[in-house]
Amino acid sequence: ERASLSSFRGIGSILGSIVPLVIFPLILSGFENRLSTGYTVSITVCAVIGFISCFLCYIFTEERKITKSKNSRPVKFIDALHVIQKNRAFLCMCIHGLCQGAATSITSTMSSYMYSDVYQNLKLMSMGSLILMPFSLVFLFIAPKFTKKMGLNGFIRFSLLAGIAAYAGLFAMHLM
């Protein structure tokens, strides 16, 4: 069940990333001679669309009422450190999240540079995103089936090794 929920969360994030990955380069390509203006307009449009999306997502959401028990005490920062110290799996997930966030930041930052300065065609960035998204959606739909077959740990290890092999292959092709 957790794998299915994670897949659906991933599908939602992919659908949500259509706006910045497709619209941003198209707007930016219209300002090729004035890139600073293009970035300002693109970021403003994406921010407005993001604000409207977040507002619509939470407009009908209700908070659950949680009552405090008499024995509850405020959580301190040191409590979080104790959890990290005692729970290796949680620590690994934190490190994984940090690495994934850093990789996503580097990829998104470098891709706009690569498409604008190296390829000199920002419209290709939109096309690449549109081609990549269906593959990601298909993978997220079939991921729960592989998780049931291989087990969650096995599937995570397989996915990480496949990613490492793909990036090493891309790096090796660049050297040729």
Side-chain angles (χ1 to χ4, degrees), residues 65-81:
K65 305 268 190 241
I66 299 175
T67 58
K68 290 185 178 181
S69 67
K70 293 178 183 177
N71 297 334
S72 67
R73 62 178 179 81
V75 178
K76 298 177 184 171
F77 180 72
I78 196 79
D79 295 336
L81 294 178

Side-chain angles (χ1 to χ4, degrees), residues 11-170:
I11 290 167
S13 72
I14 287 173
L15 294 176
S17 68
I18 288 173
V19 172
L21 291 176
V22 175
I23 293 176
F24 187 86
L26 290 176
I27 294 172
L28 198 57
S29 68
F31 293 92
E32 287 180 359
N33 297 332
R34 303 176 319 243
L35 278 180
S36 61
T37 305
Y39 277 107
T40 304
V41 170
S42 300
I43 289 169
T44 304
V45 168
C46 289
V48 168
I49 292 171
F51 172 76
I52 291 169
S53 299
C54 286
F55 182 74
L56 290 176
C57 181
Y58 290 106
I59 192 169
F60 300 113
T61 303
E62 247 182 69
E63 284 281 334
R64 289 188 294 171
K65 305 268 190 241
I66 299 175
T67 58
K68 290 185 178 181
S69 67
K70 293 178 183 177
N71 297 334
S72 67
R73 62 178 179 81
V75 178
K76 298 177 184 171
F77 180 72
I78 196 79
D79 295 336
L81 294 178
H82 287 299
V83 170
I84 290 173
Q85 183 182 13
K86 293 179 182 177
N87 191 342
R88 284 184 39 204
F90 180 70
L91 175 63
C92 290
M93 291 302 291
C94 290
I95 293 171
H96 176 264
L98 289 172
C99 292
Q100 192 172 8
T104 302
S105 267
I106 291 168
T107 302
S108 62
T109 303
M110 290 304 294
S111 62
S112 61
Y113 159 74
M114 289 295 290
Y115 284 102
S116 64
D117 289 352
V118 177
Y119 302 133
Q120 297 179 351
N121 190 349
L122 282 168
K123 292 178 184 175
L124 284 176
M125 190 172 172
S126 292
M127 294 300 172
S129 297
L130 284 173
I131 291 169
L132 183 63
M133 280 184 199
F135 289 115
S136 300
L137 288 172
V138 167
F139 180 75
L140 286 170
F141 274 115
I142 63 172
K145 292 177 182 149
F146 281 114
T147 303
K148 284 181 184 175
K149 187 175 185 178
M150 301 171 72
L152 186 59
N153 287 339
F155 185 63
I156 289 172
R157 287 184 182 127
F158 171 77
S159 299
L160 289 173
L161 289 174
I164 290 168
Y167 276 109
L170 289 170

